[in-house]
């Protein structure tokens, strides 16, 4: 059985979802309440592969909210993730994806040191960040959207916002070795890590996002921002493709102007309807088929019987593992969303 540990994007989002799902006691509550709330299984899932194989899974809501980081409620944030992992393990789930901020909190607060929680020994090999599949899907979205919208990668500048992160660094490595992209622009806050990445790649211009947007033909957004940023639409190159893989979304600005193509980044579409309710609450246009690539990774590991932490630690994603997860993604009927 596979598991998905997820969270909602804001307190307001959590309150409205709680109301819709019939958890009235959660709906009117503020952040303090969510800090205390235990993890819950809110969905049972059945997925069918195009090979005919059928698997079962569970969705665990961790009750973490990004506002906990802004309010410096770090203890509550880390407790949410550890408790959700313990809960998943107690359910007998073989492989569970740590969605969105779950894996970021795990790494940032060094939670791998916590192996014993009350009477439970945390078996970290039963968890995956899902970031290898997410990075693979984002790279395919770059390639396929360039083809669709007539941008030639060999003449293009691709900016990666969040370049030094787990997903961003893998995207940079892939674009560097697997495509003929003309220029890579590396964006993040910590300059030392940016120059380390530049020296690892042997290329890439380090820039601030405001300087990158006017020259980028493609922007891959994979920064771990608790809240999306406003961007100046008039500064964008035309045409350009913006692939927002953040959760919550990195871009707060809604963009509907000619020659600017916005893609829902890190999202896959399955070939067969999935039996679940959970994707209705995160505004997917086809919730029975569209899902986060990290969640799909735990499904793929379950389909293949690879009950192992396929994606783990920071900045260790290899091109070989992106190929491996990409091959089984295609085999089971998932494809990158190009909206
Ligand atoms: P990491 O924490 O490993 O990396 C985050 C990156 O963002 C770092 O390079 C960091 O560098 C940079 N960053 C953070 N804040 C800012 C900022 N304000 N401006 C510019 N850069 C910034 O995160 P992951 O790679 O694990 O995840 C990245 C994003 O992808 C998250 O939003 C996550 O929720 C999302 N995600 C989506 C998935 C999907 O299935 N679609 C799956 C998993 C994750 P620095 O701190 O130096 O700025």
């Amino acid at each position: 059985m596979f598991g998905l540990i997820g969270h909602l994007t804001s307190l307001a989002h959590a309150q409205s979802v709680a109301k819709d799902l019939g958890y009235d006691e959660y709906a009117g509550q503020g952040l303090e309440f969510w800090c205390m709330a235990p993890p819950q299984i809110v969905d049972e899932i059945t997925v069918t592969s195009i090979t005919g194989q059928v698997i079962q899974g569970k969705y665990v809501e961790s009750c973490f909210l990004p506002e906990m980081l802004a309010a410096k409620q770090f203890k509550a944030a880390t407790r949410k993730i550890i408790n959700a992992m313990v809960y998943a393990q107690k359910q007998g789930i073989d492989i569970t994806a740590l969605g969105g901020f779950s894996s970021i909190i795990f790494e940032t607060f060094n939670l791998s040191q916590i192996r014993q929680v009350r009477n439970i020994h945390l078996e970290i090999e039963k968890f995956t960040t899902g970031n290898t599949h997410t990075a693979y899907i984002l790279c395919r979205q770059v390639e396929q959207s360039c083809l669709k919208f007539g941008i030639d990668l060999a003449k293009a500048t691709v900016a990666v916002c969040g370049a030094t992160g787990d997903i961003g660094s893998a995207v940079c490595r892939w674009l560097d070795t697997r495509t003929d992209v003309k220029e890579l622009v590396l964006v993040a806050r910590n300059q030392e890590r940016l120059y380390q990445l530049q020296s690892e790649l042997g290329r890439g211009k380090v820039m601030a996002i405001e300087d990158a947007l006017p020259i980028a033909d493609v922007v891959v957004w994979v920064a771990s921002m608790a809240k999306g940023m406003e961007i100046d639409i008039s500064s964008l190159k035309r045409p350009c493709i913006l692939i927002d893989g953040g959760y919550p979304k990195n871009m707060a600005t809604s963009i509907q102007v000619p020659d600017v193509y916005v893609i829902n980044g890190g999202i896959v579409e399955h070939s067969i309807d999935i039996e679940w309710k959970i994707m209705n609450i995160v505004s997917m246009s086809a919730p029975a088929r569209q899902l986060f690539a990290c969640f799909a990774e735990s499904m793929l590991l379950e389909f293949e019987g690879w009950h192992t932490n396929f994606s783990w630690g920071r900045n260790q994603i290899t091109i070989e593992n992106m190929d491996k997860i990409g091959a089984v993604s295609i085999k089971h009927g998932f494809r990158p969303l190009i909206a």
Side-chain angles (χ1 to χ4, degrees):
M1 184 186 295
F2 69 91
L4 314 171
I5 292 178
H7 64 84
L8 296 163
T9 56
S10 67
L11 177 60
H13 186 206
Q15 288 167 332
S16 88
V17 168
K19 192 159 179 269
D20 290 348
L21 293 181
Y23 289 85
D24 290 342
E25 70 280 20
Y26 285 54
Q29 304 284 350
L31 191 62
E32 281 307 314
F33 176 88
W34 287 84
C35 286
M36 303 305 294
Q40 305 260 353
I41 288 185
V42 294
D43 213 356
E44 309 269 343
I45 308 162
T46 303
V47 192
T48 305
S49 160
I50 53 171
T51 64
Q53 195 182 344
V54 179
I55 55 170
Q56 310 292 331
K58 290 179 195 280
Y59 177 87
V60 181
E61 171 55 52
S62 68
C63 294
F64 162 78
L65 294 173
E67 282 94 339
M68 290 174 194
L69 297 179
K72 300 205 182 325
Q73 298 268 22
F74 301 133
K75 264 202 172 149
T78 53
R79 207 171 51 230
K80 298 276 130 194
I81 305 311
I82 287 290
N83 285 347
M85 291 171 76
V86 167
Y87 191 50
Q89 192 177 310
K90 274 193 190 161
Q91 302 292 317
I93 299 174
D94 300 296
I95 184 72
T96 300
L98 297 177
F101 264 77
S102 316
S103 62
I104 295 169
I105 289 169
F106 193 90
E107 287 302 327
T108 305
F109 296 99
N110 222 352
L111 301 188
S112 58
Q113 290 180 336
I114 302 175
R115 299 303 292 274
Q116 194 68 29
V117 184
R118 298 175 291 276
N119 61 340
I120 298 283
H121 178 73
L122 204 54
E123 296 171 59
I124 52 163
E125 58 282 4
K126 292 190 167 176
F127 298 89
T128 186
T129 63
N131 286 351
T132 310
H133 191 229
T134 304
Y136 164 82
I137 291 297
L138 281 159
C139 292
R140 290 292 184 210
Q141 287 180 307
V142 171
E143 292 173 332
Q144 293 176 13
S145 61
C146 279
L147 271 180
K148 178 169 176 179
F149 298 116
I151 289 178
D152 179 1
L153 262 179
K155 295 181 185 151
T157 295
V158 178
V160 180
C161 180
T164 52
D166 194 36
I167 300 171
S169 60
V171 167
C172 290
R173 282 193 287 278
W174 170 286
L175 292 175
D176 174 42
T177 55
R178 284 300 169 82
T179 72
D180 54 359
V181 62
K182 184 174 170 218
E183 188 72 79
L184 279 175
V185 171
L186 315 175
V187 181
R189 293 164 306 178
N190 183 301
Q191 298 295 301
E192 198 184 328
R193 283 200 293 265
L194 280 166
Y195 284 107
Q196 262 170 20
L197 176 67
Q198 187 191 50
S199 105
E200 182 203 319
L201 296 170
R203 66 185 291 192
K205 284 186 182 158
V206 171
M207 281 189 180
I209 190 70
E210 306 74 44
D211 301 324
L213 292 181
I215 61 160
D217 301 282
V218 181
V219 184
V220 180
W221 296 88
V222 276
S224 51
M225 295 183 214
K227 203 164 171 277
M229 63 162 75
E230 297 289 342
I231 60 169
D232 175 8
I233 298 175
S234 68
S235 72
L236 296 171
K237 189 171 180 184
R238 309 280 182 97
C240 75
I241 302 172
L242 305 173
I243 304 178
D244 192 345
Y247 183 81
K249 287 287 166 213
N250 282 179
M251 293 189 299
T253 316
S254 133
I255 302 175
Q256 278 172 337
V257 292
D259 296 330
V260 178
Y261 307 104
V262 180
I263 310 273
N264 209 353
I267 305 293
V268 286
E269 188 156 283
H270 192 37
S271 310
I272 298 172
D273 280 3
I274 298 174
E275 291 174 39
W276 62 357
K277 301 183 287 292
I278 204 67
M279 284 297 129
N280 288 316
I281 65 177
V282 282
S283 311
M284 296 288 175
S285 57
R289 294 200 174 194
Q290 293 170 1
L291 61 150
F292 300 105
C294 63
F295 285 175
E297 181 171 307
S298 77
M299 296 172 185
L300 294 170
L301 299 181
E302 175 69 8
F303 276 130
E304 293 298 312
W306 298 341
H307 293 152
T308 170
N309 47 356
F310 188 81
S311 308
W312 206 243
R314 259 210 180 117
N315 297 22
Q316 290 175 20
I317 296 174
T318 61
I319 305 281
E320 291 71 30
N321 273 353
M322 288 170 76
D323 284 339
K324 197 171 167 186
I325 204 74
V328 293
S329 183
I330 294 165
K331 171 181 166 188
H332 291 288
F334 293 95
R335 57 180 167 267
L337 184 69
I338 302 294

